[in-house]
């Protein structure tokens, strides 16, 4: 076993996994797995820069994670940064801050690298299951971007496109600094148009319709699963490898887009940091399912974070 620490810093959240990894057996044993909503991508789509308050929220989480990594005695640490920090003009401020706190430099990876990590993390434990036909389409709906990867035992095609839940919310649902609650039909149509254009781009590189199993990752998808299951609180074990039908995804999406902030916040499994962006995230998932004709989505709690851990091990 090798004790490793993996950090995934995205547009909406930063997550930590400390685990014992055994490459020989394919076993990854969690010691600590946690997520903090920091909204690093706040305003990036509009300003092109990381906001000072967003950087400070992220650095506060990094200080907390540094203490946990030290406590567990991880031998190796890898910090991967994704969409927001790829796009920002002042990303060097982010890099210096992380290096000072954690002693490792954040790797601002490409969308294609992000997609491959997501695929490894999501599918490594699906090998050998005869109820889930290959090839898989792994879809990682993040805050700033969505990654698409098609593969079986290897990646056949990957593409990252800019249709994350935070980006779509800030671009289309914010008026005078406030999220429209609930959004008007024309705002929803504008998000749909962006998503469809992005799916056209993704299909140029990834054979989306060749996939037999859709695997969905990240907070928008896992929250939809929690709602579908009627969970009294967020429960990773119940959500992991749950299956949600297309009809149920459509019902939940329509409900979220017609709900007020207070109604979404009252959902027992809803993280406070997702209340304003979950509608856009659900619409991304629904649009993908419609594009490829998926009858269900298999939900995975194991994703890019697990892929990063394996890359360290």
């Amino acid at each position: 076993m090798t004790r490793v620490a993996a950090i995934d810093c995205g547009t909406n959240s930063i997550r930590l996994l400390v685990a014992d990894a055994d490459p020989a057996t394919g076993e990854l044993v969690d010691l600590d797995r946690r997520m903090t909503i920091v909204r690093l991508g706040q305003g990036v789509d509009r300003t092109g820069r990381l906001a000072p308050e967003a950087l400070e929220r992220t650095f506060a989480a990094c200080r907390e994670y540094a203490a946990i990594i030290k406590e567990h005695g991880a031998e190796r640490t890898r910090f991967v940064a994704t969409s927001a920090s790829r796009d920002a003009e002042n990303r060097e401020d982010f890099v210096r801050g992380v290096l000072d706190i954690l002693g490792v430099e954040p790797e601002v990876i490409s969308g294609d690298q992000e997609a491959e990590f997501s695929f490894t993390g999501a599918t490594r434990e699906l090998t050998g299951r005869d109820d889930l036909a290959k090839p898989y389409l792994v879809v990682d709906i993040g805050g700033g971007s969505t990654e698409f990867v098609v593969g079986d035992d290897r990646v056949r095609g990957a593409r990252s496109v800019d249709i994350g839940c935070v980006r779509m919310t800030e671009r289309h649902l914010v008026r005078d600094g406030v999220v429209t609650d609930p959004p008007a039909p024309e705002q929803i149509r504008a998000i749909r148009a962006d998503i469809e254009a992005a799916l056209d781009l993704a299909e140029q590189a990834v054979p989306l319709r060749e996939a037999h199993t859709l695997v969905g990752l990240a907070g928008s998808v896992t929250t939809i699963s929690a709602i579908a299951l009627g969970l009294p609180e967020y429960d990773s074990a119940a959500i992991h490898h749950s299956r949600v039908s297309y009809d149920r995804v459509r019902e939940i999406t329509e409900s979220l887009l017609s709900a007020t902030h207070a109604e979404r916040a009252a959902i027992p499994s809803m993280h406070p940091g997702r209340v304003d962006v979950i509608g856009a995230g659900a619409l991304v998932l629904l649009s993908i399912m419609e594009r490829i004709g998926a009858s269900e989505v298999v939900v995975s709690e194991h994703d890019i974070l697990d892929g990063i851990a394996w890359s360290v091990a």
Side-chain angles (χ1 to χ4, degrees), residues 266-282:
I267 296 170
S269 53
M270 182 73 67
H271 190 288
R274 297 205 185 279
V275 174
D276 285 334
V277 299
I278 185 62

Side-chain angles (χ1 to χ4, degrees), residues 9-174:
C9 186
T11 301
N12 197 45
S13 63
I14 183 170
R15 300 180 303 144
L16 169 70
L17 171 61
V18 181
D20 286 332
D22 186 346
T25 64
E27 185 179 16
L28 192 68
V29 180
D30 289 13
L31 300 174
D32 200 307
R33 186 187 290 260
R34 62 184 64 202
M35 181 270 290
T36 308
I37 299 284
V38 294
R39 199 66 68 85
L40 177 62
Q42 172 193 332
V44 167
D45 191 56
R46 177 176 51 84
T47 67
R49 297 180 62 82
L50 298 167
E53 61 270 28
L55 284 169
E56 184 45 48
R57 289 193 298 267
T58 305
F59 294 155
C62 287
R63 286 188 279 272
E64 177 189 346
Y65 290 179
I68 294 164
I69 292 168
K70 183 178 179 180
E71 177 187 341
H72 284 293
E75 301 167 45
R76 306 174 192 167
T77 299
R78 189 172 190 180
F79 188 117
V80 166
T82 52
S83 180
S85 48
R86 272 201 305 269
D87 301 340
E89 294 172 6
N90 60 334
R91 69 182 188 182
E92 286 306 313
D93 295 341
F94 166 71
V95 170
R96 282 195 301 272
V98 171
L99 184 58
D100 288 346
I101 296 167
L102 285 158
V104 295
E105 186 169 328
E107 300 172 56
V108 183
I109 61 173
S110 70
D112 286 347
Q113 288 174 298
E114 188 176 346
E116 293 208 21
F117 281 142
S118 294
F119 186 81
T120 300
T123 64
R124 189 170 181 125
E125 63 188 350
L126 299 181
T127 303
R129 285 187 56 166
D130 56 12
D131 61 326
L132 298 176
K134 298 177 182 179
Y136 308 116
L137 168 58
V138 174
V139 175
D140 188 341
I141 303 173
S145 62
T146 293
E147 282 64 55
F148 296 85
V149 200
V150 167
D152 32 49
D153 299 320
R154 60 179 180 79
V155 172
R156 292 189 187 179
R159 182 70 184 260
S160 176
V161 292
D162 289 341
I163 50 168
C165 60
V166 174
R167 192 184 299 271
M168 291 296 94
T169 299
E170 292 192 346
R171 184 177 294 175
H172 296 294
L173 301 185
V174 175

Side-chain angles (χ1 to χ4, degrees), residues 254-277:
E254 291 172 354
S255 174
L256 290 169
L257 288 171
S258 63
T260 64
H261 176 96
E263 288 168 340
R264 294 191 302 275
I267 296 170
S269 53
M270 182 73 67
H271 190 288
R274 297 205 185 279
V275 174
D276 285 334
V277 299

Side-chain angles (χ1 to χ4, degrees), residues 185-218:
E186 61 269 20
Q187 291 175 299
I188 296 173
R189 285 195 295 270
I191 295 178
R192 275 277 202 178
D194 268 8
I195 294 170
E196 293 302 326
L199 290 175
D200 290 342
L201 281 176
E203 282 204 283
Q204 292 175 13
V206 184
L208 302 181
R209 300 172 206 247
E210 291 181 12
H212 295 304
T213 298
L214 174 64
V215 182
L217 317 181

